[in-house]
Amino acid sequence: MTMFNNGYATLQIPEGFDPVNTKDEFNDLYLVNVNIPMSIKFSITPTLVGLPDIKEDIEKNIENNPKINLILSDFIPINDDIYYLIISSFSDGKKEIRRNEFLYVKDSNLYIFEFTYPYADRELDDFYLNIIRSFKISVPKYIVEDGQYKLNE
């Protein structure tokens, strides 16, 4: 089993997935498996708000985007923590894509797991949950004070 560790968090990398370099400041890990096909994105961002406010903002943004179909938006327990789960689909006109996102807030850091795959694929609940259950926070990546953030070095 391969583990990802950036000094702030660790999580299990599923077999068959390869890392892809990105230049997004808040993207900590981006994996693809061209055989499924599926991508997994793990991000950590600073935040001043909790999951209820994040849920409200995401739902409002989806309502204003006719290309995105909201399938599920709810809070769920994973391990001993509460996550916000949002399942949506969108179409580029040729194929439909499904995105399952799991969001978690701790110590003013927002942890986002995003799984994107062809809509027609089977449900992968255990696959997602096994990755999320392997997730451990070592220290917060960002320190948020007075409305500003800095990297926790």
Side-chain angles (χ1 to χ4, degrees):
M1 166 180 13
T2 305
M3 296 296 285
F4 163 79
N5 183 341
N6 64 358
Y8 304 102
T10 59
L11 59 101
Q12 179 181 337
I13 295 177
E15 199 170 310
F17 282 79
D18 298 311
V20 175
N21 290 330
T22 65
K23 296 183 181 185
D24 180 356
E25 173 187 4
F26 300 115
N27 184 8
D28 289 81
L29 179 66
Y30 188 74
L31 302 167
V32 294
N33 183 328
V34 294
N35 296 320
I36 295 178
M38 175 187 268
S39 68
I40 300 171
K41 181 179 176 183
F42 171 67
S43 305
I44 306 172
T45 66
T47 185
L48 295 173
V49 299
L51 287 179
D53 291 330
I54 292 168
K55 178 181 186 286
E56 184 179 316
D57 285 347
I58 289 174
E59 288 176 350
K60 194 179 302 180
N61 287 335
I62 288 177
E63 284 176 18
N64 294 327
N65 189 335
K67 293 182 180 182
I68 298 177
N69 178 34
L70 180 63
I71 297 168
L72 176 69
S73 174
D74 204 356
F75 298 105
I76 64 166
I78 301 176
N79 296 338
D80 293 330
D81 302 309
I82 298 296
Y83 282 73
Y84 168 51
L85 167 63
I86 181 160
I87 301 174
S88 60
S89 67
F90 55 95
S91 175
D92 64 4
K94 295 179 182 162
K95 56 183 164 180
E96 198 163 352
I97 304 294
R98 183 170 174 138
R99 181 171 53 211
N100 293 15
E101 296 175 85
F102 297 80
L103 295 84
Y104 174 66
V105 172
K106 183 173 183 180
D107 297 325
S108 299
N109 283 246
L110 172 61
Y111 301 88
I112 305 168
F113 295 86
E114 181 181 305
F115 303 89
T116 307
Y117 59 98
Y119 188 78
D121 276 3
R122 59 182 165 54
E123 293 297 326
L124 300 163
D125 293 343
D126 285 336
F127 177 81
Y128 308 135
L129 293 175
N130 288 337
I131 295 169
I132 295 169
R133 287 181 181 127
S134 76
F135 170 60
K136 303 284 184 258
I137 300 170
S138 304
V139 296
K141 182 174 181 179
Y142 298 101
I143 297 172
V144 180
E145 295 174 333
D146 302 323
Q148 299 182 13
Y149 71 90
K150 65 180 181 178
L151 195 59
N152 185 6
E153 299 182 275

